[in-house]
Amino acid sequence: FLTGLWRELNTLERAGLTPGDLAHLPHDGPTAPGATPDEATTRDWNSTFDLFRIYEKQLEFARQGIRWDPWKGIMEQVPPR
């Protein structure tokens, strides 16, 4: 999220930096500062938030005394390796 925001605001350019200036530094986002994530990275990153929404829904049900297992039955659908 912040990587995209910083890209849209041209934060690096405003600071007089390029992605190459920061490439050697460690980062904890899905991509280096100034880089544009590819489709697979974006999909994986978005999946993290999808899981969070599932956990939140599970907690919401639990607070109401409803047991809801979003993963029930999924393993039966996975083909053996």
Side-chain angles (χ1 to χ4, degrees):
F1 169 75
L2 288 178
T3 303
L5 180 62
W6 291 350
R7 241 189 347 270
E8 290 173 19
L9 295 175
N10 298 318
T11 305
L12 292 180
E13 292 82 5
R14 291 172 190 251
L17 298 169
T18 67
D21 294 331
L22 304 176
H24 68 284
L25 299 173
H27 61 278
D28 57 354
T31 60
T36 302
D38 61 15
E39 185 178 327
T41 302
T42 301
R43 186 177 54 249
D44 290 347
W45 186 250
N46 288 337
S47 294
T48 302
F49 297 102
D50 291 339
L51 286 172
F52 178 76
R53 283 189 282 277
I54 290 170
Y55 297 143
E56 284 293 307
K57 182 56 81 173
Q58 192 173 18
L59 285 172
E60 178 186 329
F61 284 139
R63 287 184 193 107
Q64 299 173 30
I66 301 169
R67 182 182 167 99
W68 177 62
D69 183 358
W71 317 115
K72 186 177 182 178
I74 290 178
M75 290 311 296
E76 290 84 22
Q77 299 172 14
V78 176
R81 293 182 188 204

